[in-house]
Amino acid sequence: MKRTSLILLMAAAYCVVACQKTTPDPAAAPAPKAAPPPIQGRTVKATERSFPRFLRVTGQLTGQRDAVVAADSTGRVMTAPVERGSIVKAGDVLATLDDRQAKLSLAEANASAELAKSRLALAKNEQERNKPLAEKKAVADADYQKLLTEVSAREAELAGAVSRQEQAQKTLDDCTIRAVAGGVVAERMVDPGEYVRVDSAVARVVDQSTMRLVLNVPETEVGGLEIGQTVEFTTAAFAGQTFKGKLKFLGAAMREASRDLVIEAAVDNADGKLRAGFFCDARIQMREEKAVAVPEDALRIEGSRRKVFVVTPESNTLSERLVEVGDTREGFTEIRKGVVKDEAVLVKPPAEATDGLPFQPKA
């Protein structure tokens, strides 16, 4: 009897608990979520605009004139007044050699020339004095011919003496080694006390007032090149700065190994910022093409990604799109992938704009 009563009590307790679980409490039910507020803003339609198409190549800067000046003489270096980075003009002294021997040779050549002049003058006087006598046959014709031959010989002697005189003068002048053209000394290759020969390099002088940008263009793009085209380029030495030049030379033949053409652009470098040897990334405008474009401020930039928000007309909600962008011109950015013409994009998307939110145009 007691056992039966205990079983009945446990069953009653189970029923009570079950009823409590199955009966919902109206006060404990969660409240429904409020709808997010619409994103307000202004939209514009994606349009077609003209954008330039560039040929992108790499190259290197060289000086307009880049010359290694040779001694063109033999002797010991006495002075070398220039240093690396010195600015020189045409005719400025780069180095001087020991000129004592050259001066002695010139003095000897001058004396020989003076002696030859005196002998020629004496021979001419003798010939002129005997000329009337020869006309009157008072002097044998053979003797007069000897006088004419003597004059010719003395003239040749003088010509040889003058030539040696000029050669001696050149040797003396070459003892002073001068810059052929103005520029910057890139390297000085001799020091006082060294002995140089005719072909010894003395200094390298680079004219940096105008630079030459040497580029290699693939064979497939050569047909679009013309003299006078603008070349824009950048260099790691001046990050974020763009320089310009004009296409000036086209190579006469393709390089067989690489199947490309070497071209050159002239670059003004009056401020001297650019240096020979700079590696450059360049682009040449080849043509213009139509492309879909949106205003620059319609883009949201997140690291390397570019996004736009397109308003879906059926639901009037925002559709977040990852886009591939191209060039920018006059405030519009080319969209290569992600948006098509006439789609409405949100301008200046706020930070809270996300995919699927409702959109409300600003009044």
Side-chain angles (χ1 to χ4, degrees), residues 54-72:
F54 294 98
L55 168 64
R56 300 180 186 275
V57 290
T58 57
Q60 189 171 346
L61 285 170
T62 64
Q64 179 69 17
R65 297 183 185 88
D66 190 339
V68 177
V69 182
D72 200 24

Side-chain angles (χ1 to χ4, degrees), residues 138-186:
V139 174
D141 186 60
D143 293 337
Y144 185 70
Q145 289 300 321
K146 288 181 180 180
L147 294 176
L148 292 177
T149 302
E150 181 70 13
V151 170
S152 298
R154 296 307 178 187
E155 287 177 343
E157 181 185 26
L158 177 60
V162 170
S163 178
R164 290 188 294 273
Q165 184 184 34
E166 292 175 350
Q167 181 63 42
Q169 183 64 57
K170 179 184 180 302
T171 300
L172 178 61
D173 293 341
D174 289 344
C175 289
T176 302
I177 304 167
R178 302 179 183 274
V180 179
V184 178
V185 177

Side-chain angles (χ1 to χ4, degrees), residues 9-56:
L9 287 173
M10 291 177 64
Y14 177 79
C15 291
V16 171
V17 172
C19 291
Q20 288 178 348
K21 288 183 178 180
T22 57
T23 304
D25 185 0
K33 291 184 178 180
I39 299 297
Q40 295 186 343
R42 182 174 62 87
T43 63
V44 296
K45 286 187 175 183
T47 60
E48 280 192 346
R49 299 177 71 89
S50 292
F51 286 93
R53 291 294 176 255
F54 294 98
L55 168 64
R56 300 180 186 275

Side-chain angles (χ1 to χ4, degrees), residues 20 38 46 48 106 111 194 218 258 284 322 342:
Q20 288 178 348
E48 280 192 346
L106 178 59
E194 292 185 35
S258 54
I284 306 172
L322 284 173
D342 293 332

Side-chain angles (χ1 to χ4, degrees), residues 112-146:
S112 297
E114 291 298 323
L115 179 59
K117 287 179 183 179
S118 300
R119 288 175 175 174
L120 176 59
L122 181 61
K124 282 186 175 181
N125 288 337
E126 188 67 17
Q127 183 258 329
E128 291 294 333
R129 187 175 65 82
N130 284 273
K131 184 178 181 180
L133 298 175
E135 291 174 351
K136 296 177 180 179
K137 304 299 181 180
V139 174
D141 186 60
D143 293 337
Y144 185 70
Q145 289 300 321
K146 288 181 180 180

